[in-house]
Amino acid sequence: MRLLILGTGGMANSHAKAFAEIEGVEMVGAVDVDPSRAKAFAVTHGIENTFTSLDDAIAWGEFDAATNVTPDKAHHPTTLALIAAGKHVLCEKPLAENYDKAAEMAAAAERAGLVTMVNLTYRNVAPLQKARELVVAGEIGRVRHLEASYLQSWLVSRAWGDWASESKWLWRLSTKHGSNGVLGDVGIHILDFAGYGANSSVERVFARLKAFDKAPDNRIGEYDLDANDSFAMTAEFENGAMAVIHASRWATGHLNELRLRLHGDRGALEVIHTPDGSSLRGCMGPDVEKAVWRTVDAGTVPTNYQRFVEAVKAGRTVEPGFRHAADLQRVLDLAIETERSRRELGVPDIDAVVQERAVG
């Protein structure tokens, strides 16, 4: 598979390193609007061809698939262009800035019959995969309640760099630069983490979002720091489970931690994932009576990158696909609307919300 890497920022290095380890994949081109960054990236990863526009790369055409690692607001136009050119696409999350664009991308992918996939990274976590397997097998009974959190501390720590002076962090804090804040950036991850583990999807939601003061007038250079830094959400899932879901970039002491607790009427599971590793604990069977928790061996699972390559080889799309990512975006859009209107909304309400805005 000849692969084009679109966007050569920080996350693109992770993509390049992962694909370099997969037999049969050749990275043949890199695209970035900044020519010096594209060339430096190409030298680092042994890529022969560089381009400063996707149009030029498509005109060249000597690639089978692309991994789209551009900023959020660029996903929609660039992915549609790649699909129109007949290229398979692995796209970073979120699929788009809003549900309408994400749904358009999903429909385009379905019409084209190409292999498309969204890099919801934490599908790579073996304990999450094992937890879902146990839920599907009925090991914890009917899921009644779940707690999910995604905690980061890069607004109070320099472990990942100085956010106040680096554009790769600043754009994530600015709505005019295409960011929907922590909700859009990692909210999609924790919603997928929770829904996948619980084997269900969000049906109703209510959320509160907040952007805290971070600089004089909440502005640094061209960046208005108005995107939300924290969110707290209550949700009801299609399987009837109630949920509390939250995320923050102010979570002092937590570099990058995802946690999911699933409580069923016959048992419970807890998944924790951090940069140091991941784990799965269960309280099941006779242990329920005395609340005894035991470590569960989760084994290993293939990565999204490996699964994308195999899907292209087989010529069939695998999850998480564009339609799934669009459905997650619909929930995120609803969460933003619940903050505006201070009311709970259900997934079917999104169409009515869009019409209300259009009339208004």
Side-chain angles (χ1 to χ4, degrees), residues 39-346:
K39 289 178 181 177
F41 180 87
V43 168
T44 298
H45 299 288
I47 299 171
E48 184 176 352
N49 303 284
T50 61
F51 306 89
T52 55
S53 78
L54 178 58
D55 288 343
D56 289 345
I58 289 175
W60 171 63
E62 298 298 317
F63 62 101
D64 308 301
T67 184
N68 190 340
V69 206
T70 56
D72 296 358
K73 66 179 179 181
H75 291 175
H76 174 260
T78 54
T79 298
L80 289 180
L82 288 164
I83 290 173
K87 308 299 182 182
H88 307 293
V89 183
L90 173 65
C91 185
E92 264 300 326
K93 57 77 204 167
L95 193 55
E97 309 118 284
N98 58 56
Y99 172 66
D100 285 349
K101 289 182 178 180
E104 181 184 357
M105 294 164 73
E110 290 160 359
R111 288 193 303 268
L114 295 163
V115 173
T116 53
M117 187 176 177
V118 179
N119 191 32
L120 290 165
T121 318
Y122 300 105
R123 291 289 183 96
N124 300 337
V125 175
L128 177 66
Q129 298 278 353
K130 184 65 176 180
R132 176 186 172 90
E133 179 185 315
L134 293 170
V135 168
V136 171
E139 293 295 327
I140 67 168
R142 290 169 292 185
V143 179
R144 296 299 198 194
H145 186 85
L146 64 94
E147 307 165 66
S149 61
Y150 193 145
L151 304 178
Q152 294 181 327
S153 60
W154 57 263
L155 284 175
V156 291
S157 165
R158 294 188 180 181
W160 291 10
D162 182 5
W163 68 265
S165 63
E166 298 180 25
S167 61
K168 67 178 180 179
W169 304 116
L170 285 168
W171 79 263
R172 298 174 188 272
L173 307 175
S174 173
T175 58
K176 76 176 183 181
H177 286 80
S179 175
N180 280 326
V182 73
L183 179 73
D185 192 18
V186 306
I188 192 167
H189 275 314
I190 197 59
L191 281 173
D192 183 66
F193 204 77
Y196 186 75
N199 190 35
S200 189
S201 301
V202 170
E203 187 172 68
R204 301 193 65 80
V205 63
F206 178 73
R208 293 296 305 272
L209 317 175
K210 188 164 185 177
F212 294 91
D213 293 339
K214 293 177 284 295
D217 298 322
N218 270 322
R219 184 180 179 85
I220 296 177
E222 64 179 289
Y223 299 94
D224 293 319
L225 310 182
D226 60 342
N228 61 84
D229 308 318
S230 294
F231 78 80
M233 175 189 298
T234 55
E236 184 174 355
F237 279 69
E238 289 177 352
N239 64 5
M242 295 297 294
V244 178
I245 303 169
H246 66 100
S248 180
R249 290 173 172 146
W250 292 96
T252 306
H254 297 273
L255 289 179
N256 193 68
E257 178 191 281
L258 289 86
R259 186 184 296 260
L260 173 63
R261 293 188 177 102
L262 298 165
H263 304 280
D265 57 7
R266 291 176 46 207
L269 297 164
E270 180 185 61
V271 180
I272 301 175
H273 177 73
T274 74
D276 295 326
S278 51
S279 63
L280 172 63
R281 296 194 310 152
C283 177
M284 297 174 286
D287 289 338
V288 169
E289 294 300 324
K290 293 187 177 181
V292 176
W293 289 79
R294 302 182 191 274
T295 299
V296 179
D297 182 8
T300 59
V301 296
T303 67
N304 286 345
Y305 308 105
Q306 293 169 321
R307 293 173 61 242
F308 176 69
V309 172
E310 289 302 313
V312 170
K313 188 184 298 184
R316 60 179 180 82
T317 288
V318 295
E319 292 297 330
F322 278 21
R323 181 60 61 184
H324 172 70
D327 289 342
L328 289 176
Q329 190 61 49
R330 176 164 54 183
V331 176
L332 297 180
D333 284 8
L334 278 175
I336 293 171
E337 184 58 33
T338 65
E339 165 70 19
R340 291 184 182 132
S341 60
R342 292 293 199 272
R343 56 174 171 148
E344 181 186 79
L345 291 170

